[in-house]
Amino acid sequence: MRRVMIALLAGLLFGAGLAHSGMSDPARVRAFLDLFGGAWDPTLAFVMGGAIVPMAVAWRIRRRLDAPFADTSFTLPATTGITPSLIGGSILFGIGWGVAGLCPGPAIADLAIAPVPAAIFAAAMLGGMILHRLLPAVPAKRPPLETSHV
């Protein structure tokens, strides 16, 4: 129950921060991406820059802890390098972000602010997640193992 409450609190804090900073507004995000159209809005860069400081502090604190507050151990993803799947997913994410002006966090926050457009985006996002789960995974290519011939 403690983990659920912490996750809910973190999600509410994140959503409130997005709403307060205006980053849940697709027009503001598109203006950030419009580098050469004359309507560039650097606000998102300042929001992202402002997130770096508390995250850097959190990583320093994490190094000193044996376990997180609400779990028995830290679960960190392994670094696997740049793969074709990562590049393809990044391209799709960027296209979706540029076209819709939303990414997953603001889309969920916008369900409370602008429910119809956010629901369309969230439905498409959910469809993509389901499609990803249904498609077979393509194993990463690994170099052949060296064998010694004695």
Side-chain angles (χ1 to χ4, degrees), residues 37-130:
W40 186 62
D41 180 359
T43 309
L44 182 57
F46 290 111
V47 171
M48 287 190 286
I52 290 172
V53 173
M55 197 62 225
V57 170
W59 276 104
R60 302 256 322 168
I61 292 170
R62 188 209 59 84
R63 284 191 206 142
R64 296 179 181 174
L65 298 175
D66 294 327
F69 178 68
D71 209 343
T72 57
S73 65
F74 286 102
T75 306
L76 301 173
T79 303
T80 57
I82 298 174
T83 63
S85 296
L86 177 65
I87 293 169
S90 300
I91 290 169
L92 286 174
F93 180 89
I95 290 170
W97 193 36
V99 169
L102 289 171
C103 62
I108 300 301
D110 271 3
L111 287 172
I113 299 169
V116 174
I120 293 168
F121 179 88
M125 179 177 67
L126 183 61
M129 292 164 68
I130 291 168

